[in-house]
Amino acid sequence: MGVRLYLSTAALAARFGVDQATVRRNGRRILAVLRQVPEGEMEGPDPPSRGKDLPEMRAPYPDWFAIWDGTEQPIQRPADPEGQRGFDSGQKKRHTVQNGLVVNEEGRIRAVTPSTSGSVHDRRPFRESGVLRRIPQEVGGMGDAGLDGLHQDLPLHSVATPHKARRHHPWTADQKLMNRELSRVRIVIEHVLAQIKPFRALSERFRHRLEIHDAIFILVAAIVNRRTQERWALENA
């Protein structure tokens, strides 16, 4: 209830007929238990061995693409001026934290970058977290135009990002076609983000200490992963 509806401490206390101190104390205990839920949820299988035909490779190893994107969430305005500058997102025009996601073509979340300031460039969380280094060479990478340049961090991978239209250099017909095809694959991660946002703890302004934002984000990612796995199991039964 706390993660999905993101009720205030006062609202939860009134709902369960206890005082707010009890809610805070039990909330910390529950979060400590829930932090164990995501363990192993986002670990990908080993890359396929060579020499097998396509169906045999596909069965145990669904990851043919690593699709990455990021999401921002507003936070309470920091009290000190330095903190305000550090979390000021020029894109959102407010103070935010951001997380990056890596999903496969089935929508299974394979990695989440740690929560970072919304003021840093979109590529930085992926580069500094070590997430990219865990992507096998057999898996192709794909991101949006804001992540252009990640191919420099993955020189041995096949990486695709949309072409950018620049002044005096509009898109060619081939570039438009390529961007359209990339969008058809990248829509998977947009659907994943759409499943995360109904959890109001990750869509409304974050009211708690930023130290626990990672734990809550990873918990929700694990819940979304289980739903995705169940849906694929039913569709392919």
Side-chain angles (χ1 to χ4, degrees):
M1 180 179 291
V3 176
R4 180 75 176 189
L5 301 180
Y6 204 38
L7 301 177
S8 66
T9 302
L12 286 172
R15 173 67 177 80
F16 292 102
V18 296
D19 57 57
Q20 295 187 43
T22 301
V23 172
R24 286 191 290 267
R25 183 171 58 253
N26 290 332
R28 289 191 292 268
R29 294 172 179 171
I30 293 172
L31 181 59
V33 173
L34 292 178
R35 282 177 174 173
Q36 302 174 24
V37 172
E39 294 181 0
E41 287 288 329
M42 286 171 275
E43 295 180 1
D46 294 330
S49 59
R50 300 187 181 279
K52 294 182 177 181
D53 59 24
L54 188 61
E56 290 179 344
M57 292 172 60
R58 179 70 175 177
Y61 193 79
D63 297 35
W64 286 47
F65 293 103
I67 310 168
W68 47 69
D69 202 349
T71 179
E72 290 187 62
Q73 179 180 3
I75 62 172
Q76 296 191 87
R77 182 178 181 178
D80 60 294
E82 183 177 353
Q84 293 175 18
R85 289 191 297 269
F87 287 92
D88 188 16
S89 171
Q91 182 180 7
K92 297 296 184 180
K93 306 300 182 184
R94 60 196 308 182
H95 301 92
T96 65
V97 291
Q98 62 175 311
N99 294 86
L101 293 172
V102 179
V103 308
N104 67 6
E105 62 271 25
E106 295 180 353
R108 181 77 180 266
I109 301 172
R110 291 305 192 193
V112 174
T113 66
S115 303
T116 56
S117 166
S119 64
V120 304
H121 193 277
D122 294 349
R123 292 200 310 266
R124 186 171 171 182
F126 291 96
R127 179 179 293 123
E128 296 183 352
S129 65
V131 163
L132 298 179
R133 292 191 294 272
R134 299 201 298 270
I135 300 176
Q137 294 182 22
E138 293 82 359
V139 177
M142 190 175 299
D144 65 6
L147 298 173
D148 186 27
L150 280 181
H151 63 278
Q152 299 173 5
D153 299 278
L154 296 169
L156 302 179
H157 290 68
S158 175
V159 178
T161 54
H163 294 280
K164 289 184 177 180
R166 294 177 171 84
R167 183 180 298 179
H168 307 306
H169 294 281
W171 286 312
T172 65
D174 288 342
Q175 289 175 337
K176 288 182 179 180
L177 179 61
M178 178 62 72
N179 285 357
R180 191 177 302 116
E181 292 301 320
L182 290 176
S183 296
R184 290 177 180 175
V185 180
R186 283 196 61 261
I187 194 65
V188 173
I189 198 167
E190 300 297 340
H191 292 162
V192 173
L193 292 173
Q195 294 179 66
I196 289 175
K197 290 305 181 180
F199 291 85
R200 295 170 65 177
L202 295 181
S203 58
E204 296 184 356
R205 186 178 64 178
F206 195 72
R207 303 189 301 266
H208 292 83
R209 295 178 293 108
L210 294 181
E211 290 80 2
I212 67 172
H213 187 268
D214 274 339
I216 294 177
F217 198 101
I218 293 174
L219 171 62
V220 172
I223 295 173
V224 171
N225 260 1
R226 293 192 177 189
R227 291 178 176 176
T228 301
Q229 185 175 3
E230 292 173 357
R231 185 178 68 252
W232 274 86
L234 290 174
E235 292 176 353
N236 295 279

